[in-house]
Each structure stands twice: as C-alpha cells, then as structure tokens.
Amino acid sequence: MRLRCAVLDDFQNAATEAADWSPLADEVEVVPFTTHFPDEDALAAALADFDIVVTLRERVPFPAALIARLPRLRLLIASGMRNSVIDYAAAEAHGVTVCGTASSSTPPVELTWALLLGLARGLVQESNALRSGDPWQSTVGADLHGRRLGLLGLGKIGSRVAHVGLAFGMHVSAWSQNLTKEYADEVGVQLAADKRELLADSDFVSVHLALSDRTRGLLGAPELALLKPTAYLINTSRAAIVDQDALLAALHEGRIAGAGVDVFDTEPLPAGHPMRTAPRLLATPHLGYVSQANYATYYGQAVENIQAYLAGEPVRRLP
C-alpha cells in the first residue's frame, strides 16, 4: 500500500502545481486540504489515516496531545526551518521525524512595502471609490521622502526593508534589544537610543522581530501612545508582538493614522472578528510568505524530504 500524505491549508489549491510530486507517485498518495481545520478534534479525525503531513509555517500547532492521536504519523514537514508550535520531544517519543524547508525573506519584505505604500497613498480607499463611482480623489497621500522609518528589528528582513526605505529617501532608524551601532552603521541606518525614542520619532514603524518571551507584547497601550497621530504601524512579523486590543483601540480612537497588518492571534481570522472591520486598517490574510517562488521552494523541498525519508536518510531535520 502507498503511504498517504496530507498537505494542510492549501487554500489556493496550489501545492500540487507549485512542485513536481510525480517522483512520489508509486509510493505516496498526496491529498491537499484546501480548508482549515477549526480545532484539534477535527484535525485528529482528518489526519488519522495519514503517514505524512505537510504543514505551512506555524499556523497549525502539533502539541503532544495531537501527535499522540495520530498513530500512523511518521513524517511531519513544516515550511521554513523554524517552528515554535511543534512539540519536538513528543514527536521523537512517538517516532515521528520532523523536517523543514528553506524559506525566502524576499516575499515578506515586498509585502511590508505593499502595506506601507497602500496605507500612505490610500490605495484601497481610492481604488474602491473609482470603481464604485464615488467622488474623484478623497485622500491626500503621506509622503515617504524625507520622513522617518523606524524599524523594530534589523535582521534579514528588517535590513532589506531598510534598504528600500533609504532608496525612497527616508531617514531610517532601528532598534532591538541586541542591535549594535556597528551593525546599524553597516546597514546604513541610525541606531535609536531606545524603543521609546524610535516610536516617538518615526512617521512609519515596521515590526521585524521574532516572537519570544522578550518580544511578546512589546508594543502595548503605553508604547502605542508614543506614536504620532500621523504615524503608521506595519506588522508582518507576529501578531503577539503587538497587543491586539491596544491596537484596535488606537485605530478606533484615531490616535494613529493607520496600521497595516498581515498577522493575527487566530488564523484564519474568524468571521466577525473586530480586526475585519477596524477603521484605518489595511489587513491581509498572512500573505507575507505566499509567493510563487516560496511555494516552489516549500513544496519542492517537501518532495525532497519525503524522498530522503523513504530512502532512510532524512534531510533538513528540525529542530
């Protein structure tokens, strides 16, 4: 009998088109799931007959309780080489091999600028007005040239966002707990004295930090209160870095000009969630990693991982 491989959250039904799965045809049956399973019970029931699971990023947790309910599971593949929602000890205890894939930092950089530019120039509002016959021109765009871009985090993604900001003629500052002046100078940006200074001085603030105990809730109500009323906040990193209730309050009360958000505490975002209708918010459904090139890498390397596992020589093992 062939092994069965489930591909989770294939919302665009793109997994089997993004890569060539034919080398597995004789040994593995690939079954994409185009809808998200709402809870652990539904997931356990759906995956009960699968030997291999391919999951996208950190959307689906695999805690010990779930792994114990999947006795056939032998190989779990997650896109990217970092995943904080898999219980690796439980996987090992149940004989489950966990592997990852490469992931490009280019798509989230590009989406960051799509959100920032969309907010600054009122693109969604103006496009909707044009298509519906509403008044011609209702917004006055915010300039980028000469304004200050503040980056929380200057790693692989943050540094590339910085280079684009510099190309627009922006003044770019950065801060994180471990950022040094030497590295900031190397990237060509100013090191902010502290988080408060960065928030208070910036016209646009973009979050590019990994989620950890130190960054969880890093921007709460006191920090958001430091932003100028004309400032915009962009978060394409992790939702939990920004207090969601505090952000919603700032948007509803008009204490900031707007926010661009690609990440949420619960994904997919439930119907009726306040983030779906918040004013001054440009929101996208976690598209940061969703691009043709990234999908080709994710699923192409998933095929390679399965081939290597079947050959008894697993590659790209996590953690």
Side-chain angles (χ1 to χ4, degrees), residues 19 27 129 131 148 152 165 189 194 232 236 246 255 267 279 293 307 310 313:
E27 298 179 89
R131 295 168 68 88
R148 182 163 297 279
L152 287 166
V189 307
D194 52 33
Y232 297 88
T236 57
R255 288 188 277 109
E267 296 183 5
Q307 289 177 301
L310 294 177
E313 299 178 353

Side-chain angles (χ1 to χ4, degrees), residues 37-120:
F37 294 104
D39 53 44
E40 185 177 300
D41 288 341
L43 197 60
L47 299 181
D49 295 329
F50 285 90
D51 310 275
I52 303 167
V53 173
V54 178
T55 182
L56 272 178
R57 308 300 293 161
E58 296 172 317
R59 177 171 291 114
V60 179
F62 279 83
L66 175 60
I67 292 172
R69 298 172 69 180
L70 302 175
R72 280 188 55 169
L73 182 63
R74 287 295 173 263
L75 177 61
L76 176 59
I77 300 171
S79 58
M81 291 301 293
R82 178 191 302 176
N83 194 300
S84 63
V85 298
I86 296 173
D87 189 323
Y88 295 105
E92 183 177 5
H94 286 83
V96 178
T97 299
V98 184
C99 299
T101 73
S103 184
S104 172
S105 61
T106 299
V109 172
E110 294 172 351
L111 184 71
T112 294
W113 280 102
L115 289 171
L116 194 154
L117 287 165
L119 282 169

Side-chain angles (χ1 to χ4, degrees), residues 103 143 177 188 204 232 276:
S103 184
D143 295 283
Q177 292 171 322
F204 300 86
Y232 297 88
R276 288 185 178 271

Side-chain angles (χ1 to χ4, degrees), residues 9 11 36 59 239 262-270 285-286 289:
D9 291 336
F11 299 125
H36 184 74
R59 177 171 291 114
D262 186 49
V263 286
F264 307 92
D265 284 340
T266 302
E267 296 183 5
L269 202 61
H286 205 153
Y289 63 88

